Amino acid sequence: MNRFLIVPQLKIHNANALSSPYTLGFPAMTAWFGGIHALQCQLNAGVFGSLRFTRAAVACHRIDLQTYKGPGDFVHSIVGTGNPLDKTGERPSFIEEARCHLTVSLAIEYQGVGQDDSAKLTQAVESRLYQLKLAGGDILSFKAPETLSIDGDNELARLIRKLMPSYVLQERRELMAEAMRNGQDAIDALLSYLKVEHRSRLLDNGKGEWTAKRKAEGWLVPIATGFHGITELGFAENQRDPGTPHRFAESLVTLGEFVMPYRIKRLDDLLWHTRYDAENNFYLCQQNNRS
């Protein structure tokens, strides 16, 4: 049996939409797993010492990216803020950061808590969620958390119904891998799937017809799925956690696809998990069976 903690209709304000140094939009999976891990740590410190969140899915119901495009503008601009005011009451220096407001539902697979303690678990989650940030944003509201047990792929539809209507993110790094095997470097492989090619052809009646096409079908987007450690583990001045070794890292970016959950037939195609690749210094969020 697969046990899930469902947190429906989480409304988040000012989430971080800058998912990597050069991608903007839906918050990175690393950001979601940061909040999920923080929630697990708080629950572990209470009466749920054996609780482990093993995999998770993020179903997006609505996203409002804070950008603006005025009359005659060619591109969108980021809507920035200068909050909070500094100690003198003046507006602080402006820092450009992309934000979004969104509503999501979380489906978190867990282990280490029995069925008899499900009510206590949902109560504990409800009491702690408002103390957390998710993807860098503030949690405004959510519906009552619940638990759900399903028999793997056989009862996947019961979980899917909890997440609809929405879009979930699927990893599509196999597209990147295929393009790179054919000789493209990483950035060319990424852009080849994102660009839209416009072509025209002359019809029999003498008029022209324009068509637009992408390399592959689907709502493909660039996504950040982890970090590559680029220095040795050590300690840095003013690091956030003085008890944990620190290292500098760069974002790992690949392709993802937004799909409606009813199209998914396997749990492995819905759920994400974290993994550390010590050989290559990779800190990854990924799905199973993606080559």
Side-chain angles (χ1 to χ4, degrees):
M1 296 295 287
N2 301 84
R3 291 177 176 168
F4 289 92
L5 169 68
I6 311 291
V7 185
Q9 301 291 327
L10 267 161
K11 292 187 177 180
I12 303 171
H13 185 74
N14 280 342
N16 181 12
L18 196 63
S19 54
S20 79
Y22 43 90
T23 57
L24 187 150
F26 190 71
M29 291 308 299
T30 50
W32 297 110
F33 272 94
I36 292 169
H37 180 67
L39 177 61
Q40 177 189 303
C41 290
Q42 288 201 14
L43 295 169
N44 288 157
V47 298
F48 299 103
S50 300
L51 174 67
R52 293 292 179 270
F53 291 151
T54 53
R55 296 189 292 178
V58 182
C60 182
H61 306 286
R62 185 190 68 87
I63 181 168
D64 180 11
L65 190 61
Q66 297 298 288
T67 59
Y68 173 76
K69 185 178 182 182
D73 292 347
F74 185 70
V75 297
H76 288 76
S77 301
I78 294 173
V79 178
T81 66
N83 299 318
L85 301 179
D86 62 23
K87 59 184 179 183
T88 65
E90 300 294 328
R91 178 176 174 171
S93 300
F94 180 79
I95 299 175
E96 187 177 89
E97 62 176 358
R99 304 166 296 111
C100 62
H101 310 324
L102 69 171
T103 303
V104 301
S105 291
L106 300 180
I108 307 172
E109 187 183 50
Y110 69 90
Q111 299 174 353
V113 175
Q115 190 69 29
D116 295 340
D117 292 324
S118 296
K120 293 180 181 177
L121 175 61
T122 55
Q123 292 172 5
V125 169
E126 189 169 1
S127 66
R128 286 168 172 78
L129 270 180
Y130 283 120
Q131 304 171 18
L132 294 176
K133 279 182 171 287
L134 266 180
D138 299 313
I139 297 175
L140 300 181
S141 65
F142 54 87
K143 292 186 177 179
E146 57 182 298
T147 58
L148 176 70
S149 296
I150 64 172
D151 180 17
D153 294 342
N154 297 326
E155 295 184 314
L156 176 59
R158 293 179 58 205
L159 175 60
I160 295 297
R161 281 196 291 271
K162 299 287 185 183
L163 305 179
M164 288 290 291
S166 68
Y167 284 92
V168 295
L169 198 55
Q170 279 192 316
E171 188 181 20
R172 296 301 306 273
R173 63 183 154 97
E174 76 275 9
L175 297 177
M176 292 279 293
E178 180 184 359
M180 294 176 71
R181 282 195 296 269
N182 292 331
Q184 289 184 304
D185 63 19
I187 193 68
D188 285 340
L190 185 75
L191 294 176
S192 68
Y193 283 98
L194 300 176
K195 67 181 180 182
V196 181
E197 292 186 344
H198 298 270
R199 297 181 182 276
S200 67
R201 68 185 183 96
L202 191 62
L203 302 177
D204 294 338
N205 59 9
K207 296 183 178 179
E209 181 186 63
W210 283 90
T211 58
K213 186 178 180 181
R214 299 179 76 170
K215 185 176 181 180
E217 295 183 350
W219 187 358
L220 296 175
V221 293
I223 58 171
T225 56
F227 300 98
H228 176 210
I230 55 177
T231 64
E232 296 298 322
L233 288 171
F235 291 91
E237 187 176 359
N238 297 325
Q239 65 185 55
R240 179 178 295 180
D241 181 359
T244 301
H246 172 278
R247 80 184 336 162
F248 291 95
E250 59 185 6
S251 295
L252 295 173
V253 178
T254 187
L255 285 169
E257 181 181 0
F258 282 107
V259 298
M260 296 199 79
Y262 76 87
R263 294 179 53 195
I264 295 175
K265 307 302 178 186
R266 302 165 60 247
L267 269 175
D268 285 344
D269 292 337
L270 174 69
L271 301 174
W272 293 71
H273 66 275
T274 58
R275 184 174 74 87
Y276 173 51
D277 181 347
E279 181 178 352
N280 298 303
N281 292 332
F282 288 161
Y283 300 83
L284 299 168
C285 295
Q286 62 183 40
Q287 293 182 314
N288 286 334
N289 302 324
R290 298 287 180 183
S291 59

